[in-house]
Amino acid sequence: MSSPTVFIDGDQGTTGLQIHDRLRHRTDMRLSTLPAAERKNPQRRAEAINACDIAILCLPDAAARESVGFIRNPGVRVIDASSAHRTQLEWVYGFPEMSGGQAQRIAQARRVTNPGCYPTGAIALLRPLAQAGLLPRDYPVSIHAISGYSGGGRAAIEAHEAGDAAGVAPSQVYGLALEHKHTPEIQWHAGLAQRPLFVPAYGAYRQGIVLTVPIELRLLPTGVDGVRLHACLAEHYSDAPHVQVMSLAQTQAMTHLDPQALNGTNDLRLGVFANADRGQVLLSAVFDNLGKGASGAAVQNLDLMLAAHATG
């Protein structure tokens, strides 16, 4: 069987560049991109996407929908890194560790939608607890997350790194209208009955995310405490090589969380910080917004799909 062709549509954006860098030396595929003069040419994009085995879309939402609309070859499989298809039933959500069998569903899928960076951490924490009945599905969930400024895309990176103080604040809380586009994705895939309150922020560092969810134990079912919440997460991710659940001893000894701790990896580190005397718990997730939150996740999904291609 010949090596599959992987086409990156949008390889000059932040995620596309990272994916290209991760794939360019691999010998188990033929990597395809368009020259600069043709990247916005609809005809050339259509030709390239229909000539590949797997297309990775690293585009704004509207352009990603346009690319999918170009497909006429039924053999083309897609990984969409945009948010255009994340709550559509006909697309498989590209979070392999989310639930049992999800990795196999991704491996066999024709259409995979890559998770958003913030939703990766939120869903990783909330979904197992909601599924187990430890967190009521109508719990008033609040999520706060701080990302490196690379989360704002190429323009934000260039402004920060050029020292453009007028163009972008060094640190900022945003999404104050409470309409962030990731919120429906979090609610849908975490299995929540009510819309969570999500407040994101950018920090004055390039990449890495720390996301936290405060929990009031008095609002949980009787007998649910930090120990049970931790045990649920530890069991759910016990066989997940890219997800680490810190022990309670580790979290008890910690005084801070470093959002940059896992930069350059495809790993996700979860924590349960419990104060039994106060009846409160803080759930945390740390990961690289350009790794497990974007390009690393896309390559992880690609590898699952390539393995299925090789055996199919």
Side-chain angles (χ1 to χ4, degrees):
M1 181 182 294
S2 61
S3 298
T5 297
V6 176
F7 169 55
I8 304 176
D9 192 1
D11 66 306
Q12 292 303 299
T14 305
T15 299
L17 285 168
Q18 292 255 334
I19 292 173
H20 189 276
D21 189 58
R22 289 170 183 257
L23 298 180
R24 60 194 175 96
H25 295 304
R26 289 183 48 168
T27 59
D28 59 336
M29 69 183 72
R30 294 189 302 272
L31 193 58
S32 170
T33 59
L34 290 175
E38 299 178 358
R39 287 185 191 125
K40 295 185 179 180
N41 182 318
Q43 181 178 343
R44 287 293 293 120
R45 288 171 58 211
E47 291 170 356
I49 200 168
N50 282 288
C52 75
D53 294 290
I54 300 176
I56 304 177
L57 311 181
C58 303
L59 302 163
D61 288 5
R65 294 186 187 99
E66 180 182 50
S67 286
V68 173
F70 289 150
I71 298 173
R72 299 292 179 265
N73 178 355
V76 174
R77 307 173 73 193
V78 178
I79 299 172
D80 181 11
S82 83
S83 62
H85 302 102
R86 290 178 185 159
T87 57
Q88 294 190 9
L89 288 174
E90 62 270 29
W91 286 69
V92 174
Y93 196 57
F95 188 179
E97 300 89 355
M98 183 174 76
S99 58
Q102 191 69 8
Q104 184 62 25
R105 285 189 282 273
I106 293 167
Q108 300 296 331
R110 313 304 302 176
R111 301 287 182 265
V112 174
T113 176
N114 226 46
C117 55
Y118 293 127
T120 296
I123 294 163
L125 291 167
L126 296 168
R127 183 182 174 105
L129 303 180
Q131 282 189 323
L134 302 182
L135 182 78
R137 294 183 185 272
D138 62 352
Y139 186 92
V141 171
S142 295
I143 303 163
H144 178 60
I146 304 172
S147 171
Y149 58 76
S150 59
R154 189 170 180 174
I157 293 173
E158 291 174 352
H160 270 281
E161 297 183 352
D164 183 5
V168 62
S171 299
Q172 56 182 295
V173 175
Y174 66 104
L176 302 182
L178 305 181
E179 291 287 353
H180 194 282
K181 69 177 183 177
H182 285 163
T183 308
E185 177 185 351
I186 294 171
Q187 179 181 350
W188 179 273
H189 293 290
L192 303 176
Q194 303 294 329
R195 179 183 176 91
L197 193 156
F198 173 49
V199 181
Y202 288 135
Y205 60 94
R206 191 176 196 277
Q207 66 195 81
I209 285 178
V210 58
L211 178 146
T212 55
V213 181
I215 299 293
E216 294 284 350
L217 294 178
R218 60 186 171 80
L219 300 181
L220 304 189
T222 302
V224 176
D225 57 10
V227 173
R228 288 190 64 186
L229 296 175
H230 176 269
C232 177
L233 293 174
E235 172 61 24
H236 184 86
Y237 296 110
S238 59
D239 296 322
H242 290 293
V243 182
Q244 312 159 13
V245 180
M246 293 186 289
S247 70
L248 289 174
Q250 286 177 294
T251 56
Q252 287 169 3
M254 295 179 72
T255 58
H256 68 278
L257 288 166
D258 178 4
Q260 303 178 82
L262 295 178
N263 281 1
T265 77
N266 192 46
D267 293 338
L268 173 66
R269 181 177 296 155
L270 308 181
V272 178
F273 296 82
N275 186 324
D277 292 339
R278 301 297 185 186
Q280 296 174 324
V281 167
L282 186 70
L283 306 176
S284 71
V286 171
F287 54 106
D288 184 351
N289 61 292
L290 300 181
K292 187 62 170 168
S295 60
V299 173
Q300 184 180 356
N301 291 328
L302 174 65
D303 286 339
L304 290 168
M305 296 167 77
L306 288 173
H309 179 92
T311 57

